[in-house]
């Protein structure tokens, strides 16, 4: 840029007063809150986060080293928005929706250069558009007007943008179009393209939020079996270092029966995200046999990427999720980890010298967390259809201490709590979800679905398992004092049943070909087999057989192999009848 132009920019726009890490203050900038601005000679992308008199404070989404006072700041006058349209699936973005592959191409190496602007979707690709409306049809905001085969698995529904007035269709045709070409014209003068923009900090509108009644089936026994989450529900996965937060999130991204997955890698180590970026494109969608990425969008802001873009990546993710929800899809969003997000807020807040709240987090921490989770839900959409966003956030409390502010504030909001446990992880009990501390407030409203689709007595069988595990927890305290042998025989048997519940049912190996996914029917039948042992054992005990003899029945250790059995129905049929006959033979 020449000197003359430079001066002109400064005159029209603002000029940098000071730079403090990701926070830049500019004078004389005519801006509104949340406007996107370009900062410095390099034009780094930033967002207005505070205005005080003549001074505007900006959080910058790129490294600010070398940027200094006197450099210009240019206002776009637009809020931070995402580009929505075909091309979002199968993409890998940074925290402000710049496609990583495009960045890499433009910059040579990822994440190093600055001032690179790249739209979230490709404006040159032509997509095959087929209208679902005809000339003369009346359409309103949110209505679907056409379809595009976006990926092998997902049909993209082109909608009247939420802020449109709507009207009667005056022209439309099928054919190949770029996202910015008009595909439907309305008598109101409005032109509909396949491209929408939406400000990330604002929830996309829907008609009403409804009570979710259908589970997001995860194929993970402890989740589906004990602590189910609803489609449209919220969950937190808090856990200490190395306890399995990321593996759990990956399992959900791979196996949960969501139509669309938005995976936000937020501030975690680069290698965890590299794994996702390398792993996911290779994976097959178990429901369709098609590439998993064809229904997935990845957002990566790793710990080595700028902190302000970490603050925004959560919003970018949830806005993309809402967009697919608006098409009537069930979307699952995973965020790993919301603690790193909160830390980004803390860092920016402290640079602003705001009054700190608990442990230095900003006073608005709770509000920000709840705003995020509030955007999840099962909704009746503007167009009368239904769609959902399920939000699942990992929480990484320092030292694994759940009493810290991020865990506590999250606990107050989410309705499913999957508490990971360092002791279990250390004992290699995976997933190391603590069954005494975890809970799901969706159980009751999901029961009718489980009764109808899995087994009529699902809730009762689950309650039986919960009771046995509760009793075990109580008995363990006594055992630690006096030893197991001091317990009466019936209690010894209960401990044995509980052991099988833990080892054969609750444990699940994410890395075993068969065990990695467990059909809810299999989850139910495995529980049934352990219950068969329980019932037979107590009858034998009543008939005078010593507990020790009952526990020695040959067939019992085979309960531990149910998890990896491929032909599980046959395997469990056979096992149950052997357990029955062997124990009955004792009296
Ligand atoms: N369901 C599982 N099946 C088998 N192994 C598991 C399972 N869950 C976790 N693990 C084991 O625990 C290790 C750590 O898990 P993970 O990386 O998910 O922990 P994390 O809580 O995300 O850790 P960090 O705090 O470092 O992010 C995994 O590499 C794996 O060996
Ligand atoms: Mg992790």
């Amino acid at each position: 840029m020449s000197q003359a132009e430079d001066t002109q920019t400064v005159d029209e726009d603002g000029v940098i007063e000071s730079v403090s890490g990701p926070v830049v203050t500019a004078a004389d900038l005519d801006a509104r809150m949340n406007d996107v601005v370009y900062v410095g000679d390099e034009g780094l992308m930033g967002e207005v986060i505070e205005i005080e008199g003549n001074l505007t404070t900006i959080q910058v989404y790129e490294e600010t080293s070398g940027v200094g006072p006197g450099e210009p700041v240019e206002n776009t006058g637009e809020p931070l928005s995402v580009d929505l349209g075909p091309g979002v699936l199968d993409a890998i973005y940074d925290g402000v929706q710049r496609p990583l592959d495009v960045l890499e191409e433009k910059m040579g190496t990822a994440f190093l250069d600055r001032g690179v602007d790249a739209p979230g979707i490709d404006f040159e690709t032509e997509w095959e558009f087929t209208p679902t409306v005809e000339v003369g049809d009346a359409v309103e905001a949110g209505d679907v007007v056409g379809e595009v085969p976006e990926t092998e698995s997902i049909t993209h529904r082109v909608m009247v943008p939420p802020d449109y007035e709507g009207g009667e269709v005056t022209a439309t045709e099928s054919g190949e179009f770029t996202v910015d070409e008009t595909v439907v014209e309305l008598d109101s003068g409005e032109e509909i393209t396949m491209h929408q923009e939406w400000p990330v900090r604002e929830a996309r509108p829907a008609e009403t939020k409804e009570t979710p009644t259908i589970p997001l089936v995860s194929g993970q026994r402890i989740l589906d079996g004990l602590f189910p989450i609803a489609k449209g529900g919220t969950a937190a996965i808090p856990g200490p270092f190395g306890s399995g937060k990321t593996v759990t999130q990956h399992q959900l991204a791979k196996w949960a029966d969501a139509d669309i997955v938005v995976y936000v890698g937020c501030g975690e180590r680069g290698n965890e995200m590299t794994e996702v970026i390398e792993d996911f494109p290779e994976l097959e969608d178990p429901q369709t046999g098609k590439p998993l990425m064809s229904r997935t969008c990845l957002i990566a802001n790793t710990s080595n990427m700028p902190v302000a873009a970490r603050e925004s990546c959560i919003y970018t993710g949830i806005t993309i999720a809402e967009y697919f929800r608006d098409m009537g899809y069930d979307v699952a969003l995973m965020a790993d980890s919301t603690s790193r997000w909160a830390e980004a807020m803390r860092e920016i807040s402290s640079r602003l010298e705001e009054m700190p709240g608990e442990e230095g987090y900003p006073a608005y921490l709770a509000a920000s967390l709840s705003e995020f989770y509030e955007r999840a839900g099962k909704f009746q959409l503007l167009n009368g259809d239904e769609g959902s966003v399920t939000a699942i956030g990992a929480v990484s409390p320092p030292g694994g201490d759940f009493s810290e502010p991020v865990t506590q504030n999250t606990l107050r909001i989410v309705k499913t709590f999957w508490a990971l446990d360092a002791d279990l992880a250390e004992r290699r009990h995976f997933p190391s979800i603590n069954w005494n501390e975890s809970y799901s407030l969706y159980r009751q409203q999901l029961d009718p679905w489980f009764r109808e689709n899995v087994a009529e007595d699902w809730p009762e069988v689950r309650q039986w398992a919960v009771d046995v595990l509760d009793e075990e927890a109580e008995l363990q305290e006594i055992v630690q004092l006096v030893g197991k042998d001091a317990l009466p025989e019936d209690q010894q048997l209960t401990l044995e049943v509980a052991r099988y519940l833990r080892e054969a049912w609750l444990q699940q190996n994410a890395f075993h070909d068969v065990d990695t996914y467990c059909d809810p029917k299999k989850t139910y039948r495995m529980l049934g087999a352990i219950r068969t042992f329980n019932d037979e054992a107590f009858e034998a005990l009543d008939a005078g057989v010593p507990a020790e003899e009952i526990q020695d029945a040959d067939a019992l250790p085979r309960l531990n192999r149910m998890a990896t059995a491929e032909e599980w129905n046959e395997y469990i049929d056979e096992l149950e009848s052997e357990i029955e006959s062997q124990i009955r033979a004792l009296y």
Side-chain angles (χ1 to χ4, degrees):
M1 205 181 268
S2 77
Q3 195 54 47
E5 275 169 342
D6 220 342
T7 322
Q8 198 181 12
T9 312
V10 173
D11 282 343
E12 278 185 355
D13 300 309
V15 57
I16 296 178
E17 285 269 310
S18 64
V19 178
S20 162
V23 173
V24 166
T25 307
D28 302 329
L29 183 69
D30 182 15
R32 290 165 304 176
M33 276 298 280
N34 298 333
D35 277 352
V36 169
V37 296
Y38 292 110
V39 174
D41 296 327
E42 287 175 89
L44 308 184
M45 189 180 176
E47 183 185 359
V48 173
I49 53 173
E50 202 176 76
I51 300 173
E52 245 186 66
N54 184 38
L55 290 183
T56 304
T57 308
I58 299 153
Q59 60 177 359
V60 180
Y61 296 122
E62 300 179 79
E63 268 305 317
T64 56
S65 51
V67 178
E71 289 185 41
V73 177
E74 188 190 329
N75 188 8
T76 66
E78 303 278 336
L80 183 65
S81 301
V82 283
D83 289 309
L84 301 164
V88 167
L89 295 179
D90 202 10
I92 305 176
Y93 293 123
D94 77 352
V96 287
Q97 210 210 4
R98 298 182 302 177
L100 288 189
D101 53 347
V102 177
L103 286 189
E104 210 159 343
E105 228 167 73
K106 289 196 183 180
M107 312 191 296
T109 57
F111 328 136
L112 289 180
D113 219 342
R114 306 182 295 190
V116 177
D117 207 0
I121 52 177
D122 187 3
F123 286 85
E124 271 139 45
T125 310
E126 294 199 329
W127 299 91
E128 191 193 320
F129 174 82
T130 310
T132 52
V133 291
E134 289 173 10
V135 172
D137 286 354
V139 293
E140 292 175 23
D143 283 352
V144 175
V145 294
E147 292 183 341
V148 176
E150 180 174 358
T151 64
E152 282 177 71
S153 0
I154 298 296
T155 299
H156 197 103
R157 300 184 181 128
V158 179
M159 299 169 287
V160 181
D163 47 2
Y164 271 35
E165 201 180 293
E168 223 174 82
V169 176
T170 52
T172 182
E173 61 177 323
S174 56
E176 306 262 320
F177 299 95
T178 64
V179 293
D180 259 353
E181 284 175 316
T182 301
V183 290
V184 175
E185 288 172 33
L186 304 182
D187 65 353
S188 56
E190 288 169 327
E191 295 181 349
I192 298 164
T193 68
M194 290 182 261
H195 175 213
Q196 291 191 18
E197 271 182 273
W198 195 263
V200 297
R201 297 190 192 276
E202 199 180 304
R204 286 175 63 90
E207 201 61 49
T208 47
K209 207 172 196 173
E210 299 178 336
T211 306
T213 52
I214 297 173
L216 182 78
V217 174
S218 67
Q220 311 304 304
R221 282 188 290 277
I222 186 162
L223 305 187
D224 297 337
L226 295 184
F227 310 112
I229 181 167
K231 285 197 172 107
T234 50
I237 313 179
F241 177 74
S243 55
K245 298 178 291 294
T246 302
V247 172
T248 307
Q249 295 271 43
H250 286 194
Q251 287 298 93
L252 287 158
K254 290 177 200 167
W255 300 114
D257 64 344
D259 299 316
I260 309 276
V261 170
V262 179
Y263 193 97
V264 186
C266 180
E268 291 298 286
R269 289 183 310 277
N271 60 343
E272 285 208 331
M273 207 56 210
T274 313
E275 256 172 55
V276 178
I277 291 171
E278 283 171 2
D279 255 24
F280 275 40
E282 314 248 297
L283 295 172
E284 217 176 66
D285 180 350
Q287 292 158 48
T288 58
K290 293 172 184 159
L292 189 66
M293 279 303 289
S294 66
R295 61 173 175 93
T296 305
C297 172
L298 296 179
I299 296 165
N301 178 273
T302 49
S303 51
N304 57 337
M305 291 162 91
V307 73
R310 188 190 307 169
E311 193 275 333
S312 66
C313 66
I314 292 275
Y315 298 101
T316 299
I318 194 100
T319 309
I320 290 174
E322 286 172 340
Y323 176 62
F324 283 96
R325 169 205 74 186
D326 287 347
M327 295 180 207
Y329 288 122
D330 291 314
V331 186
L333 177 133
M334 285 90 196
D336 187 11
S337 126
T338 56
S339 297
R340 307 281 167 257
W341 176 49
E343 284 162 19
M345 283 191 255
R346 176 166 67 183
E347 173 162 351
I348 290 157
S349 167
S350 94
R351 302 253 184 197
L352 293 177
E353 292 171 11
E354 288 173 341
M355 174 103 94
E358 241 186 311
E359 293 190 21
Y361 287 105
Y364 47 82
L365 171 70
S368 297
L369 282 167
S370 87
E371 262 166 45
F372 163 63
Y373 283 108
E374 267 297 307
R375 289 173 72 171
K378 179 186 172 201
F379 292 91
Q380 199 191 343
L381 306 171
L382 294 180
N383 63 21
D385 262 356
E386 285 182 342
S388 69
V389 172
T390 309
I392 302 166
V395 187
S396 2
D401 173 10
F402 288 0
S403 69
E404 59 86 43
V406 182
T407 315
Q408 283 304 311
N409 283 305
T410 304
L411 245 169
R412 283 186 207 113
I413 304 161
V414 299
K415 295 201 165 150
T416 324
F417 194 69
W418 299 322
L420 296 179
D421 183 312
D423 284 344
L424 290 174
E426 204 165 297
R427 282 189 268 144
R428 316 274 322 146
H429 173 114
F430 290 119
S432 60
I433 295 170
N434 183 310
W435 50 92
N436 296 313
E437 280 179 47
S438 302
Y439 59 78
S440 163
L441 301 180
Y442 296 111
R443 267 187 194 168
Q444 266 190 346
Q445 68 209 60
L446 298 177
D447 277 350
W449 186 93
F450 280 108
R451 279 192 203 280
E452 195 171 317
N453 293 279
V454 184
E456 181 45 41
D457 61 349
W458 173 281
E460 288 76 34
V461 176
R462 177 187 60 213
Q463 193 53 48
W464 167 77
V466 169
D467 291 343
V468 173
L469 290 167
D470 280 353
E471 200 178 337
E472 182 196 37
E474 278 169 34
L475 291 176
Q476 288 296 6
E477 288 174 24
I478 306 173
V479 169
Q480 279 180 1
L481 293 175
V482 297
K484 189 177 167 191
D485 294 339
L487 290 181
E489 295 221 304
D490 60 333
Q491 294 184 344
Q492 289 186 28
L493 270 187
T494 298
L495 286 181
E496 190 68 359
V497 173
R499 187 174 69 82
Y500 279 113
L501 282 178
R502 283 187 286 108
E503 293 178 2
W505 191 66
L506 290 178
Q507 285 195 32
Q508 186 170 357
N509 185 353
F511 304 109
H512 186 282
D513 279 351
V514 175
D515 200 22
T516 188
Y517 175 83
C518 191
D519 190 300
K521 290 200 167 78
K522 181 178 175 183
T523 294
Y524 170 78
R525 286 228 54 200
M526 288 171 70
L527 203 48
I530 300 169
R531 200 179 186 188
T532 300
F533 162 49
N534 175 85
D535 295 352
E536 293 297 330
F538 279 96
E539 265 185 50
L541 192 71
D542 277 349
V545 185
E548 208 170 319
E549 265 181 50
I550 301 170
Q551 292 169 27
D552 275 350
D554 280 352
L556 293 177
R558 279 169 49 201
L559 287 168
N560 289 322
R561 293 201 291 277
M562 292 188 291
T564 54
E566 235 164 323
E567 305 291 331
W568 46 272
N569 251 324
E570 292 76 5
Y571 185 93
I572 294 171
D573 281 344
E574 210 174 288
L575 180 57
E576 280 183 334
S577 74
E578 270 186 52
I579 290 172
E580 202 180 275
S581 61
Q582 285 181 9
I583 294 180
R584 287 186 189 183
L586 298 173
Y587 61 100

